[in-house]
Amino acid sequence: MTPVLSFKENSKKIAQHFLQSVVAVDDNIKFEPRPDLSNEKLIEPDDADLGEFETGGNKQEVTPALSHELYYQDLSHEFAIKGIICGGFAPEGDVASSLKAVVNTSKNADITILDWQMDIGAPDGEFATDTILNISEIDIKEGGRTRLICIYTAKEASAVVDTLQKSLNSLQPNVSKCTLTFGLSNLTHWKIEVVNKGDTQEIELCEYLIDSFTELTAGLLSNAALSSIASIRDNTHNLLHKFNKELDTAYLSHVLGLISSPDMREQANEVAFDYAVDLISEELKSELQISQIVKDSLSKEILKSWPQHMSPKQKANRFKIKMGSKKVEFNNKTMEKLISASKEEDLITVLEDDLDIKGNKETSTIDTFNKALIQLSFDNYSTEPLLDLCSLESTRRDIVSLKKHTPVLKQGTLIKCRHSKFYLCIQPVCDTVRLTGNQSFTFIETRLSNGDFTHVMRKRDGHLKLKIVSSVKQLKSICFQANDEKKTVLSVINANETPEFLSEANEKYEWCGEFKFTISQAIVNGLAAQLARVGLDSFEWLRQKQK
């Protein structure tokens, strides 16, 4: 029987499976194993050789200098045993070219290891700090990412941490012993570990960094995401086998079929591209749905072990649940019972005995639970994780994740005018392409709401909580000029790096994001149902009887 792993152990297993690439940069890199000095005898020098000296009648021994070498063979071998590729090199040439080389190799690596004292014509720590700052700029522009960087140094770790804290002040660093995390919005899942070469040798560094990466990523959906990416990586060549070059003529047959249609001719390549993306993404989705490692990452046993991982102390009431107006705080044991309650009587016992949630004369305990809006939190009653998940569910793109994409106006696009009014485009997709001149687009006017909002979209400093109602009364028509080359209404990036559309009336509309097709289509279907209603001026007495 396979032993049940703790949440931390399972998270480490998932992280290790996910990790693929490590880059180690050191000017004193040695491509051989660390020499074994355990059997060598220490030769005591004479006083004349300055091996010891007198101070006030007391003899003091000279402490040998700490080795600056990084023994790549030991490091790469330890990572290789775990199926992780570790590349190592020493910077060469001038500082600028060395920095570019390190940044280019590090930006896509899962873990980066940097020496602090590198003899390449720059003061100690400057090269490592510049590398970190350059990588941070890339990550910020790309909307954030998870990143682990290790400073592996012969210098005292605490001194390096102090210098880093000052040099990286613009990234809002937080220090805990020899670990730096960051408060800047796109770097909240960044971590820098400062490790002393004398305290942790290469064969130990591998395990240390895997543990550190696990601490950075351990979570329910984060583990599922790591497992999904690892599963796709494992099946990469199977996917390539399915989508092989022999399919070229079949794909071009599809393109030619689109070209043969007068309605599709001008946009044949774009439509065929969307077809290919849908085909490949559905294949990936199919693979994930049957992946055992993904299923195991969210198994019932894993869910049950999560509370102990989050709050090891039994008596600490760190879990908080809000049901309607009632708020209850409880410990990990109660959380485990709540998650694993598969029978109604078990659930009622937890609700009534542990959470003091009970029904009344009109409603039973279980009905109260069934109908309540449930909000689970940890340490505080924050709604931020709920809003983040709402946004992930409904949003295709937003201003935070836009990167270098130039948006076009189409169904699902949310725009904002200077009066802070929001409009959702509901124009049929086929009527947003092959455009010339001024074109009228149909929108549903929507509003912000802190209470009964229906949709959520991220913005740079939080969330847009929107109340979108499929009502004819909310319809609005706005005219825009189509781009002559693209034959779509194309946005322009303004001075604030925000896309915007210019209407025929010379009014600017800021692009906020795009909802997923299924979300926008559901809104359009709701509007269609409103339009399909038959209005009858009927006998009032008979109408009342029909209620």
Side-chain angles (χ1 to χ4, degrees):
M1 183 177 177
T2 305
V4 178
L5 299 177
S6 68
F7 191 87
K8 183 177 180 179
E9 291 168 336
N10 188 68
S11 297
K12 184 175 180 178
K13 178 183 175 183
I14 290 170
Q16 185 172 308
H17 185 201
F18 165 82
L19 289 169
Q20 270 204 333
S21 59
V22 177
V23 172
V25 183
D26 197 307
D27 64 324
N28 278 319
I29 194 166
K30 302 293 182 183
F31 294 94
E32 68 262 0
R34 179 181 286 274
D36 184 6
L37 302 178
S38 59
N39 294 322
E40 293 189 10
K41 294 182 179 179
L42 180 65
I43 300 175
E44 297 183 9
D46 296 332
D47 289 351
D49 294 328
L50 302 180
E52 53 186 32
F53 60 92
E54 301 276 350
T55 304
N58 296 322
K59 291 186 177 181
Q60 296 185 2
E61 294 183 358
V62 176
T63 304
L66 185 61
S67 171
H68 286 258
E69 290 84 1
L70 183 146
Y71 287 91
Y72 171 72
Q73 184 62 28
D74 289 347
L75 186 67
S76 62
H77 182 264
E78 287 302 310
F79 277 114
I81 290 174
K82 301 179 185 301
I84 302 169
I85 299 169
C86 178
F89 68 95
E92 292 183 354
D94 60 89
V95 175
S97 62
S98 295
L99 182 65
K100 184 178 179 180
V102 174
V103 171
N104 286 342
T105 53
S106 299
K107 65 181 180 181
N108 292 321
D110 296 325
I111 300 174
T112 298
I113 302 171
L114 299 171
D115 187 21
W116 185 253
Q117 298 166 292
M118 287 194 269
D119 186 17
I120 54 171
D124 287 353
E126 184 176 297
F127 187 84
T129 303
D130 287 345
T131 301
I132 293 168
L133 288 170
N134 274 264
I135 295 173
S136 71
E137 287 180 12
I138 295 170
D139 288 356
I140 290 168
K141 285 181 181 179
E142 293 184 350
R145 64 160 279 174
T146 297
R147 186 177 293 282
L148 175 60
I149 297 173
C150 173
I151 302 296
Y152 192 46
T153 178
K155 192 171 182 178
E156 185 184 357
S158 59
V160 174
V161 169
D162 290 341
T163 304
L164 278 174
Q165 187 176 14
K166 295 172 184 175
S167 303
L168 305 178
N169 185 57
S170 61
L171 307 183
Q172 300 174 22
N174 304 302
V175 175
S176 177
K177 296 182 180 179
C178 292
T179 301
L180 288 89
T181 54
F182 300 88
L184 207 65
S185 59
N186 288 337
L187 301 182
T188 53
H189 292 88
W190 255 52
K191 187 199 279 190
I192 297 177
E193 296 279 13
V194 180
V195 181
N196 186 271
K197 290 180 178 179
D199 296 335
T200 306
Q201 293 191 350
E202 291 83 357
I203 58 174
E204 304 163 316
L205 185 62
C206 169
E207 198 74 23
Y208 180 89
L209 293 180
I210 292 174
D211 285 339
S212 179
F213 189 86
T214 302
E215 290 174 3
L216 188 60
T217 60
L220 292 172
L221 286 182
S222 54
N223 280 351
L226 290 176
S227 298
S228 298
I229 296 167
S231 180
I232 291 170
R233 283 175 173 173
D234 291 345
N235 291 279
T236 297
H237 293 282
N238 303 94
L239 185 69
L240 293 175
H241 176 71
K242 288 182 180 180
F243 291 93
N244 58 74
K245 62 183 181 181
E246 304 302 326
L247 297 176
D248 287 358
T249 52
Y251 177 72
L252 289 175
S253 296
H254 178 56
V255 175
L256 292 174
L258 293 170
I259 291 175
S260 69
S261 171
D263 293 336
M264 290 289 184
R265 190 165 295 146
E266 291 187 31
Q267 300 296 320
N269 285 349
E270 287 82 356
V271 174
F273 170 77
D274 288 340
Y275 167 77
V277 170
D278 287 342
L279 205 63
I280 295 169
S281 61
E282 281 299 316
E283 194 67 32
L284 294 175
K285 182 179 178 181
S286 175
E287 182 62 42
L288 294 179
Q289 287 174 332
I290 62 171
S291 171
Q292 193 58 49
I293 63 169
V294 178
K295 289 181 180 179
D296 289 345
S297 69
L298 292 173
S299 67
K300 191 171 182 178
E301 290 75 18
I302 292 300
L303 296 185
K304 189 176 178 180
S305 66
W306 176 80
Q308 176 68 24
H309 168 73
M310 294 294 290
S311 179
K313 296 181 179 179
Q314 291 284 3
K315 293 182 179 180
N317 291 334
R318 300 185 68 183
F319 296 97
K320 306 176 191 304
I321 195 166
K322 183 179 178 182
M323 293 175 55
S325 60
K326 188 175 181 63
K327 294 181 178 180
V328 184
E329 300 180 4
F330 52 98
N331 62 16
N332 58 12
K333 197 67 178 177
T334 302
M335 188 70 222
E336 289 172 17
K337 291 181 187 178
L338 194 58
I339 292 174
S340 57
S342 56
K343 296 179 180 179
E344 186 172 301
E345 53 266 31
D346 296 335
L347 180 57
I348 292 173
T349 301
V350 178
L351 292 172
E352 294 184 346
D353 296 348
D354 296 282
L355 301 178
D356 194 30
I357 296 173
K358 299 175 182 178
N360 49 46
K361 293 180 180 179
E362 291 79 23
T363 309
S364 66
T365 299
I366 199 68
D367 284 340
T368 301
F369 184 71
N370 290 344
K371 296 175 182 178
L373 179 64
I374 300 170
Q375 176 186 318
L376 179 69
S377 307
F378 186 73
D379 278 344
N380 56 60
Y381 288 97
S382 173
T383 59
E384 288 301 302
L386 298 169
L387 295 173
D388 283 336
L389 189 54
C390 287
S391 178
L392 279 172
E393 178 189 294
S394 60
T395 307
R396 186 184 183 196
R397 295 187 185 95
D398 56 40
I399 194 65
V400 180
S401 61
L402 183 61
K403 299 181 183 179
K404 296 180 180 180
H405 175 69
T406 302
V408 299
L409 188 57
K410 58 185 175 182
Q411 187 180 109
T413 300
L414 182 73
I415 59 176
K416 183 182 77 169
C417 71
R418 58 189 175 88
H419 303 297
S420 293
K421 288 186 177 180
F422 293 85
Y423 300 96
L424 176 68
C425 180
I426 59 169
Q427 192 90 340
V429 176
C430 56
D431 292 336
T432 61
V433 294
R434 302 183 297 279
L435 305 179
T436 56
N438 285 320
Q439 296 291 329
S440 178
F441 278 71
T442 306
F443 297 84
I444 291 181
E445 184 176 340
T446 183
R447 61 183 174 85
L448 296 178
S449 174
N450 286 322
D452 54 344
F453 54 88
T454 59
H455 296 77
V456 178
M457 182 175 286
R458 287 191 305 172
K459 58 178 182 175
R460 285 194 175 103
D461 57 350
H463 298 87
L464 294 171
K465 292 177 278 188
L466 304 160
K467 177 74 171 180
I468 302 177
V469 179
S470 298
S471 171
V472 179
K473 297 177 183 179
Q474 306 299 322
L475 289 180
K476 182 179 177 67
S477 182
I478 308 174
C479 284
F480 293 91
Q481 175 72 35
N483 180 278
D484 293 335
E485 181 183 351
K486 299 293 184 180
K487 299 193 182 303
T488 58
V489 175
L490 200 63
S491 62
V492 177
I493 308 299
N494 64 22
N496 296 322
E497 297 187 352
T498 300
E500 60 184 19
F501 301 99
L502 185 65
S503 73
E504 184 188 19
N506 208 35
E507 187 168 5
K508 294 178 181 179
Y509 290 86
E510 180 182 313
W511 181 90
C512 299
E514 296 172 12
F515 286 111
K516 291 178 180 176
F517 178 75
T518 51
I519 300 297
S520 59
Q521 194 61 45
I523 295 168
V524 172
N525 288 345
L527 180 63
Q530 288 280 319
L531 292 170
R533 288 186 305 169
V534 178
L536 294 175
D537 189 9
S538 58
F539 180 31
E540 186 65 16
W541 181 83
L542 180 59
R543 189 183 70 83
Q544 294 284 352
K545 294 283 281 185
Q546 292 171 351
K547 286 186 178 180

